[in-house]
Amino acid sequence: MRIDVLTLFPEMFQSPLGCSILKRARDNGLIDVVLTNIRDFAADNYKRVDDKPYGGGPGMVMMPGPVFDCFEYVEKLGTEKGRVILLTPQGQKFNQAKAAELSKEGRLILIAGRYEGFDERIRIGLGAEQISIGDYVLSGGELAAMVVVDAVVRLLAGVLGDEDSAKDDSFSEGLLEYPQYTRPSSFRNMKVPEILLSGDHGKIAEWRRRQALERTKKCRPDLLG
Ligand code: ADE
């Protein structure tokens, strides 16, 4: 999968992309992440990318010119058109189903905004869909873009060591994940449930399913609809 990110702060992505699963996915050629700085497409000597909102009001708005020029440059770098996504609190709420849907794409083009938001013509002109990672306002779309990249990439074939390890994750079956334990079997007087030590895989699967259900009912009843 090719992932392009248009941002004013490409340096913010270095650490998440340079560690752990995302680093390995890049090293193994499973993903190609290309960061492009929108400011490089500013038209004036001040490298200006934002301006005051028409109609007044606080804050600044991202100008359409640099974003369009940046997008048109980036689009040509890849062979396929890709799915164009603006990260904004006005977007559709991101979830595991959306991550799974995006993981089927060959290319994603993510656009992270700053300031009070994007000039509306950016969304309209680029035909972009909008994604929000939750009902709160971040200082920019970069962290949201990283969340989307991480959640999508771990679903790609070959990215996780054990092919099954995304299957039991919370949300993948519409439920939270069951409780997990590792050694030691007794820790500060807290014991691992006997059933997990029994070696009876049928009983263990049944126990886990019941625990997942109970936990979902208690912590996230909204998931059960
Ligand atoms: N930019 C600012 N806040 C955001 C959010 N909650 N989701 C996506 N992008 C954002």
Side-chain angles (χ1 to χ4, degrees):
M1 174 185 274
R2 179 184 169 112
I3 304 173
D4 287 283
V5 186
L6 283 61
T7 168
L8 289 167
F9 296 98
E11 63 274 19
M12 282 181 74
F13 291 80
Q14 296 310 336
S15 175
L17 291 173
C19 303
S20 186
I21 288 169
L22 291 179
K23 174 177 173 14
R24 209 173 57 211
R26 293 177 85 196
D27 290 349
N28 293 341
L30 296 169
I31 54 165
D32 185 14
V33 185
V34 180
L35 304 164
T36 305
N37 195 330
I38 298 168
R39 200 173 296 280
D40 292 343
F41 296 83
D44 67 359
N45 288 335
Y46 302 104
K47 295 276 162 210
R48 192 164 191 162
V49 292
D50 61 315
D51 209 334
K52 291 186 294 242
Y54 275 121
M60 302 292 267
V61 176
M62 290 203 39
M63 298 156 67
V67 178
F68 267 73
D69 289 347
C70 182
F71 178 82
E72 280 157 7
Y73 165 83
V74 165
E75 202 181 21
K76 291 194 202 89
L77 297 177
T79 47
E80 65 178 289
K81 266 195 122 25
R83 187 108 163 226
V84 184
I85 296 166
L86 290 182
L87 285 311
T88 150
Q90 284 91 49
Q92 186 194 6
K93 190 103 65 77
F94 189 62
N95 60 19
Q96 192 65 23
K98 193 75 185 176
E101 181 192 319
L102 296 179
S103 73
K104 310 263 183 341
E105 299 283 338
R107 184 181 189 190
L108 303 178
I109 303 180
L110 306 177
I111 308 175
R114 282 268 146 181
Y115 315 114
E116 285 304 301
F118 297 100
D119 182 301
E120 190 64 8
R121 292 164 293 186
I122 294 171
R123 181 184 64 76
I124 297 167
L126 300 183
E129 65 187 288
Q130 307 183 89
I131 288 182
S132 164
I133 61 161
D135 293 340
Y136 40 80
V137 180
L138 302 165
S139 309
E142 286 79 11
L143 290 169
M146 288 181 232
V147 166
V148 171
V149 169
D150 190 287
V152 168
V153 169
R154 62 196 302 289
L155 297 177
L156 300 178
V159 167
L160 295 183
D162 176 353
E163 280 300 330
D164 282 336
S165 50
K167 206 179 73 212
D168 285 350
D169 279 350
S170 284
F171 310 113
S172 54
E173 303 280 349
L175 296 176
L176 300 181
E177 198 185 36
Y178 48 78
Q180 296 273 27
Y181 295 88
T182 186
R183 288 193 294 181
S185 62
S186 177
F187 177 73
R188 301 199 179 181
N189 224 15
M190 293 178 281
K191 303 218 170 15
V192 173
E194 276 300 328
I195 184 89
L196 297 177
L197 311 175
S198 70
D200 184 334
H201 296 296
K203 285 238 168 69
I204 291 172
E206 195 184 304
W207 179 86
R208 284 180 164 165
R209 176 87 193 157
R210 215 171 40 238
Q211 290 287 322
L213 258 170
E214 271 167 33
R215 188 182 254 194
T216 308
K217 216 183 289 174
K218 183 153 176 264
C219 305
R220 289 292 308 276
D222 56 297
L223 291 177
L224 296 171

